[in-house]
Amino acid sequence: MPDVKARASLETGPPTNLKTRRGFLKAAARAAAGGLAAYLPPGCAAPGTGPGLGPGLESSGIAPTLTQVSGPRSLRAHAAEHGLLVGCAVNPDKLDGEPDYASTVADQANIVVPENALKWAALRPTPSQFDFRKADDVVVFAFSHQQKVRGHNLCWHEALPAWFRTTVTRDNAAQLLTEHIRTVAGRYAGKLHSWDVVNEAIDVKSARPDGLRDSPWLELIGPGYLELAFRTAREADGTALLTYNDYGIELDTPEQIDKRGQVMMLVRRLQARGVPIDAVGVQSHLSAGDAPGAGLLHFVRELHDMRLQVFITELDVNDRKLPDSVPERDAAVAKTYRDYLTMMLAEPNVNVALTWGITGRYTWLNGPKYARADGKPERPLPFDYDYNPTPAFFAERDAIDSRRRTALPGANPYAPFSPSGGSPQSQEKRSALDFDRGSDRKSGVVRNLASSVSV
Ligand code: XIL
């Protein structure tokens, strides 16, 4: 932090050109030093701040200003006080191109995850090439704001490149998966908080006794692909927390109870075989009105007994079944945030919570599959379409504050991973150097990242 502040305080020249990488990083550094408020005269509201958006503020007619949600009042600052990691999925193009987006992420998150940039389809233009440019952008942004990074993901049945179907066979699939994991996890070795090693491998509808999803990986390699993926990830990166990540395991509906049970059996099987696994990611794509309860709590506690952490990896709350009344939608979404996060963050092995995005402007829930029938943007995240904090923001912040004392670091056997070896500043320097040294000798896409961080 000190070096970023120092850099930011030296910025006295003309307004930053945010279209350039240099300008973007300068602006991002400013945001890290002072939050969004750093852009504004004292007392000014956020760009686009509209009336009636914060609980308690609505009735008074006073809109929440940036000072009420940024800097020391940000999610990030509150999380730090409680030893928690909170953050969001990010899009490198928006970090680069949209100042409000970049500054909100910098201000609110102490952990980020690339939403798509580390998926196969993004990294693998051809069978022999890796393109790390977008993923590296996220890592450079995060490190320049003292944020940790999750990796998502190394093995999934979706987001496979077009060439996959015609190129990958039973004969070469295991080798291809191994090479991919070695290269990708190896590139970021020692730098990431955690990796989603395998994503969404359970599907009760596939109707197999082992619960495994009928996926290309299962078909081409067999059930051993999970073990192969985890073992290869551990060899490639000895410090990232290796995670199995899945959705539809939060509620106590018959289907989700069933799936949660299958996930538990999978994790038990992996552990019994000595497979390196450190955490289970509960994606947490919820709907307004959902009330996860006893079943999930039992699951989290069982995982605790197995010495596993639980990460909330992709929280968002869709409002597509609710009528178009913003206060009504916001209240229902915020209640789900409050109830869910308060319950989960009371558990000592739940130290990490990420939302799947930061603003309703770019949520995947506005995409064709999940959009509201009336075409209105959903309000599933801590900030709305115009970067106003939503009631869900305040619900999340309250839930962070409700973290019970016994869950504070020290009392907690599974405290969040923190890379050894010095201050965030030295970590940032080391990362830039390592990237430089790596500069992609093997890949077709060569890029010197050190220049990107020299703001
Ligand atoms: C989604 C992204 O948000 C979209 O932008 C993309 O088009 C499809 O994937 N579970 C996951 C995430 O693990 O990777 C998915 O992300 C959302 C569901």
Side-chain angles (χ1 to χ4, degrees):
M1 186 63 95
D3 66 325
V4 174
K5 263 191 184 142
R7 275 200 311 256
S9 68
L10 291 173
E11 303 292 345
T12 52
T16 309
N17 178 2
L18 290 155
K19 295 281 177 236
T20 64
R21 170 169 302 281
R22 198 177 162 79
F24 150 66
L25 286 168
K26 277 183 188 169
R30 270 203 206 119
L36 267 172
Y39 290 104
L40 300 169
C44 256
T49 296
L53 288 154
L57 297 163
E58 213 155 341
S59 54
S60 70
I62 302 167
T65 62
L66 274 175
T67 51
Q68 288 168 305
V69 300
S70 69
R73 293 175 179 182
S74 63
L75 299 175
R76 169 181 193 160
H78 281 243
E81 274 174 34
H82 297 278
L84 298 174
L85 294 174
V86 303
C88 57
V90 296
N91 176 338
D93 295 332
K94 306 299 172 201
L95 286 177
D96 202 350
E98 196 168 308
D100 285 349
Y101 184 93
S103 55
T104 305
V105 170
D107 197 26
Q108 298 297 337
N110 58 12
I111 185 165
V112 296
V113 59
E115 181 171 352
N116 291 307
L118 280 168
K119 293 174 182 173
W120 276 68
L123 290 180
R124 306 296 303 268
T126 69
S128 59
Q129 281 184 307
F130 289 83
D131 182 347
F132 287 110
R133 284 175 295 182
K134 300 283 180 193
D136 285 353
D137 282 350
V138 173
V139 175
V140 169
F141 179 93
F143 284 9
S144 68
H145 296 91
Q146 292 72 49
Q147 294 167 319
K148 294 187 191 300
V149 182
R150 305 198 69 241
H152 174 83
N153 53 61
L154 293 169
C155 180
W156 191 27
H157 62 283
E158 285 188 32
L160 293 168
W163 54 260
F164 190 93
R165 231 157 45 97
T166 48
T167 313
V168 189
T169 64
R170 285 202 166 92
D171 288 335
N172 64 16
Q175 199 198 340
L176 190 82
L177 179 63
T178 310
E179 267 172 23
H180 179 85
I181 294 176
R182 274 194 197 132
T183 308
V184 179
R187 177 175 183 82
Y188 301 106
K191 296 184 176 71
L192 299 194
H193 164 272
S194 50
W195 262 114
D196 289 333
V197 178
V198 178
N199 198 34
E200 304 181 350
I202 294 291
D203 175 29
V204 174
K205 285 192 221 84
S206 294
R208 291 169 50 97
D210 59 10
L212 290 182
R213 176 185 298 274
D214 196 2
S215 81
W217 296 115
L218 182 70
E219 200 184 311
L220 294 166
I221 302 179
Y225 82 87
L226 289 105
E227 177 164 349
L228 178 68
F230 275 93
R231 289 195 189 282
T232 310
R234 175 54 80 235
E235 279 167 27
D237 184 339
T239 56
L241 297 169
L242 303 186
T243 308
Y244 174 76
N245 193 46
D246 217 331
Y247 69 96
I249 53 175
E250 297 84 8
L251 306 181
D252 284 341
T253 61
E255 197 186 325
Q256 296 211 5
I257 290 171
D258 206 0
K259 182 163 181 180
R260 195 163 52 228
Q262 293 286 9
V263 169
M264 178 55 75
M265 287 199 285
L266 167 66
V267 174
R268 284 197 179 285
R269 284 199 303 275
L270 292 173
Q271 270 203 334
R273 296 179 58 82
V275 174
I277 175 169
D278 304 297
V280 171
V282 179
Q283 289 188 7
S284 313
H285 294 293
L286 303 176
S287 297
D290 278 352
L296 179 59
L297 213 50
H298 181 76
F299 178 76
V300 169
R301 290 177 180 171
E302 217 172 317
L303 291 169
H304 180 275
D305 293 344
M306 296 159 70
R307 304 195 62 76
L308 293 171
Q309 294 200 47
V310 174
F311 303 146
I312 296 167
T313 50
E314 304 182 17
L315 174 63
D316 54 18
V317 179
N318 79 71
D319 59 45
R320 66 178 164 276
K321 292 206 184 112
L322 296 179
D324 177 28
S325 148
V326 167
E328 204 179 310
R329 287 157 61 192
D330 280 358
V333 169
K335 181 171 170 19
T336 297
Y337 261 77
R338 186 176 300 276
D339 294 349
Y340 183 61
L341 288 174
T342 305
M343 177 183 94
M344 291 291 274
L345 293 175
E347 297 304 304
N349 57 331
V350 184
N351 295 296
V352 182
L354 292 95
T355 50
W356 202 241
I358 190 75
T359 160
R361 184 175 285 251
Y362 299 123
T363 170
W364 73 306
L365 296 173
N366 291 338
K369 203 165 160 196
Y370 298 109
R372 289 176 58 85
D374 62 12
K376 297 275 163 60
E378 298 224 26
R379 301 178 60 83
L381 293 166
F383 289 83
D384 71 7
Y385 194 92
D386 298 312
Y387 293 97
N388 297 308
T390 58
F393 172 96
F394 297 94
E396 179 170 349
R397 201 175 62 181
D398 288 349
I400 290 167
D401 290 341
S402 76
R403 173 80 165 184
R404 65 169 188 230
R405 291 178 67 80
T406 51
L408 287 171
N412 174 8
Y414 308 118
F417 167 76
S418 97
S420 58
S423 62
Q425 188 182 345
S426 66
Q427 188 192 337
E428 182 189 341
K429 279 192 185 139
R430 194 176 59 229
S431 311
L433 278 174
D434 288 353
F435 273 130
D436 189 28
R437 232 179 279 133
S439 64
D440 271 347
R441 274 185 303 272
K442 283 192 209 139
S443 85
V445 185
V446 178
R447 191 174 160 86
N448 182 344
L449 275 156
S451 61
S452 316
V453 291
S454 58
V455 286

